[in-house]
């Protein structure tokens, strides 16, 4: 699985079937940005190249390669000591970067028992000792030193009641203490916010009525554990994001663009990507509607309290896959987006930094 690090950030297209940036992540201290560039070669070999940028200067610090036949959109998390941990459904590796920016890749453990499960998210405890992997039916916890499952590992979906047709986990936070579960009861849907520290379970009835497989739900929890951003996608072109207070279960608002004259109704938009700030006060939303010029490759900052949108001043390029990755800095003051840029015979990644209050462009690299 492991390969030596490559230093090139540009890949010649002649031998490539597909290449694209997927995940984007800030280090815990906000000084480093890591982007995952997945490259599929003509020989059906897949390489995930992780490029580390200095967030202040935009210079490439280093890069490391992890090659596999089945890594698809791996999850990324930085530990407190600035090591990048990556994982797909089964494999977990860590990329250690030394003071002189040299990298060492090491496989931690293999979790083959969950290979067929839907992999939702990856996380690490504040003390850096515990790694969490959330699947649709289970939260697993591992000791990073011993690489063994912990006693609190294996928090599973509780046995559903007879009338519950489906239950699944959507997100977790606060050192694994908060778990968000989606329950379907016929056509009715509810969120269950499990807080193991407070020993509470808050139930939120959602304002949607769908058949069992009519909608897809994804969610993110702010780093401070206070805000939940829930995306409901009826179709690729028709999605809605709602915000919830995780402590009280109160609705905080629904993402909307009232200042734009569009034909969209009920606050549903073609949402491709989104991220919630660590302080829970902002969400960044990437929208793309090929049939509405106002909504083509649109990047929007939404203020949760003010319920007000700001169009971000992100630069667009002639040929690109715009804002495939979105990440807020740990202090919530800036956010970064990564875009795929096709140059003559070359493929590259552009990263832009933007102000998280005004949406104004800061720099690109």
């Amino acid at each position: 699985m492991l390969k030596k690090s490559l230093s090139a950030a540009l890949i010649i297209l002649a031998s490539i079937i597909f290449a694209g940036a997927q995940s984007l992540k800030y280090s815990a201290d906000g000084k480093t940005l890591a982007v995952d560039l997945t490259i599929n070669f003509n020989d059906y070999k897949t390489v995930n190249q992780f490029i580390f940028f200095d967030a202040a200067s935009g210079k490439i610090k280093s890069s490391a390669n992890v090659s596999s036949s089945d890594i698809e959109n791996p999850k990324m998390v930085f530990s407190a000591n600035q090591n990048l941990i990556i994982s797909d459904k089964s494999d977990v590796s860590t990329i250690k970067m030394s003071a002189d920016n040299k990298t060492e890749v090491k496989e931690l453990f293999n979790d083959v028992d969950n290979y067929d499960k839907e992999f939702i998210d990856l996380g690490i405890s504040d003390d850096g000792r515990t790694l969490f992997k959330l699947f649709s039916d289970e939260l697993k916890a591992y000791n990073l030193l011993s690489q063994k499952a912990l006693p609190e590992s294996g928090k599973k979906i509780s046995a559903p009641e007879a009338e519950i047709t489906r239950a699944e986990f959507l997100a977790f936070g606060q050192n694994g203490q908060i778990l968000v579960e989606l329950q379907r009861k016929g056509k009715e849907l509810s969120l269950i916010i499990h807080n193991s520290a407070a020993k509470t379970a808050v139930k939120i009835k959602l304002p949607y009525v769908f058949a069992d497989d009519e909608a897809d739900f994804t969610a993110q929890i702010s780093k401070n554990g206070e805000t939940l951003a829930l995306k409901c996608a009826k179709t690729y072109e028709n999605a809605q994001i709602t915000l919830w207070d995780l402590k009280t279960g109160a609705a905080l608002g629904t993402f909307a663009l009232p200042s734009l004259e569009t034909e969209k109704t009920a606050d549903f938009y073609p949402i491709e990507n989104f991220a919630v700030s660590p302080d829970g006060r902002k969400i960044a939303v990437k929208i793309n509607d090929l049939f509405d010029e106002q909504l083509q490759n649109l990047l929007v900052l939404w203020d949760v309290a003010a319920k007000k949108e700001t169009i971000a001043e992100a630069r667009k390029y002639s040929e690109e896959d715009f804002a495939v990755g979105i990440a807020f800095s740990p202090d919530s003051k800036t956010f970064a987006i990564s875009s795929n840029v096709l140059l003559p015979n070359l493929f590259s990644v552009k990263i832009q930094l933007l102000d998280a209050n005004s949406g104004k462009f800061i720099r690109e690299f």
Side-chain angles (χ1 to χ4, degrees):
M1 174 181 176
L2 305 180
K3 299 292 182 181
K4 292 183 179 180
S5 171
L6 294 179
S7 59
L10 299 178
I11 309 299
I12 299 176
L13 282 175
S15 63
I16 297 176
I17 296 176
F18 171 80
Q22 297 186 97
S23 301
L24 184 68
K25 186 71 69 172
Y26 267 97
S27 61
D29 61 5
K31 295 181 179 180
T32 303
L33 268 167
V35 61
D36 164 38
L37 179 62
T38 299
I39 308 158
N40 294 326
F41 291 90
N42 284 332
D43 59 1
Y44 303 102
K45 175 184 178 182
T46 300
V47 172
N48 287 78
Q49 184 180 39
F50 296 87
I51 305 172
F52 298 87
F53 290 91
D54 184 284
S57 68
K59 295 181 179 179
I60 294 178
K61 292 182 174 182
S62 187
S63 65
N65 276 17
V66 177
S67 64
S68 173
S69 60
D70 55 16
I71 290 183
E72 182 179 355
N73 196 18
K75 307 300 181 182
M76 303 162 54
V77 63
F78 272 95
S79 63
N81 58 5
Q82 311 307 317
N83 293 338
L84 178 67
I85 299 175
I86 58 174
S87 180
D88 64 354
K89 292 181 179 181
S90 57
D91 295 321
V92 179
S93 296
T94 182
I95 303 175
K96 181 179 180 181
M97 188 163 56
S98 60
D100 58 359
N101 296 328
K102 292 182 179 180
T103 56
E104 176 187 355
V105 185
K106 180 181 179 182
E107 185 174 351
L108 295 179
F109 45 77
N110 189 280
D111 194 17
V112 293
D113 291 342
N114 286 281
Y115 185 79
D116 294 328
K117 306 289 181 63
E118 183 182 0
F119 182 34
I120 306 299
D121 205 358
L122 181 73
I124 194 166
S125 61
D126 291 338
D127 61 13
R129 297 178 181 178
T130 306
L131 185 72
F132 300 96
K133 293 182 72 176
L134 179 66
F135 297 87
S136 57
D137 67 336
E138 182 179 14
L139 176 67
K140 302 198 75 173
Y142 302 89
N143 182 298
L144 277 175
L145 183 61
S146 67
Q147 302 182 25
K148 294 182 179 179
L150 294 172
E152 59 266 33
S153 183
K155 294 179 181 177
K156 293 180 178 290
I157 293 289
S158 54
E161 302 171 17
E163 64 269 24
I164 302 296
T165 57
R166 185 176 175 183
E168 59 188 319
F169 287 133
L170 296 180
F172 76 106
Q174 292 289 287
N175 293 322
Q177 293 179 343
I178 298 175
L179 267 170
V180 178
E181 178 186 344
L182 176 72
Q183 288 187 352
R184 300 174 189 257
K185 182 179 178 181
K187 294 186 178 181
E188 296 181 359
L189 297 107
S190 300
L191 289 178
I192 310 297
I193 313 300
H194 301 276
N195 190 319
S196 59
K199 297 181 179 180
T200 59
V202 177
K203 185 174 183 178
I204 302 171
K205 186 176 180 180
L206 296 177
Y208 308 113
V209 177
F210 296 132
D212 188 43
D213 295 321
E214 243 181 5
D216 181 56
F217 288 85
T218 55
Q220 290 184 26
I221 295 175
S222 60
K223 177 66 175 177
N224 62 8
E226 296 180 1
T227 305
L228 172 72
L230 176 71
K231 176 186 173 184
C232 167
K234 295 170 66 177
T235 64
Y236 173 77
E237 300 87 2
N238 206 349
Q240 184 182 72
I241 295 178
T242 51
L243 286 301
W244 305 86
D245 186 310
L246 284 173
K247 293 183 178 180
T248 65
L252 299 176
T254 299
F255 170 78
L257 302 173
S259 64
L260 295 183
E261 296 179 2
T262 71
E263 297 181 358
K264 303 300 174 187
T265 59
D267 302 326
F268 278 85
Y269 303 92
I271 297 170
E272 290 188 346
N273 199 5
F274 74 99
V276 58
S277 63
D279 61 11
R281 296 179 180 179
K282 298 286 179 65
I283 58 171
V285 183
K286 186 273 182 86
I287 297 173
N288 191 24
D289 188 340
L290 298 177
F291 303 101
D292 188 335
E293 291 186 1
Q294 293 186 92
L295 299 180
Q296 288 179 5
N297 275 336
L298 188 67
L299 185 64
V300 182
L301 265 175
W302 202 70
D303 188 297
V304 176
K307 297 180 177 59
K308 180 180 179 181
E309 86 280 3
T310 300
I311 306 301
E313 297 178 357
R315 295 183 178 181
K316 300 178 177 65
Y317 315 97
S318 56
E319 294 185 50
E320 62 175 341
D321 191 353
F322 176 71
V324 291
I326 305 175
F328 279 89
S329 60
D331 60 8
S332 299
K333 292 182 179 179
T334 61
F335 71 104
I337 63 170
S338 59
S339 299
N340 299 325
V341 182
L342 184 62
L343 305 173
N345 298 319
L346 292 172
F347 177 82
S348 184
V349 176
K350 285 281 189 181
I351 293 180
Q352 299 178 62
L353 300 184
L354 300 106
D355 186 279
N357 289 316
S358 65
K360 293 186 179 298
F361 175 85
I362 299 174
R363 68 174 69 89
E364 70 177 3
F365 45 84

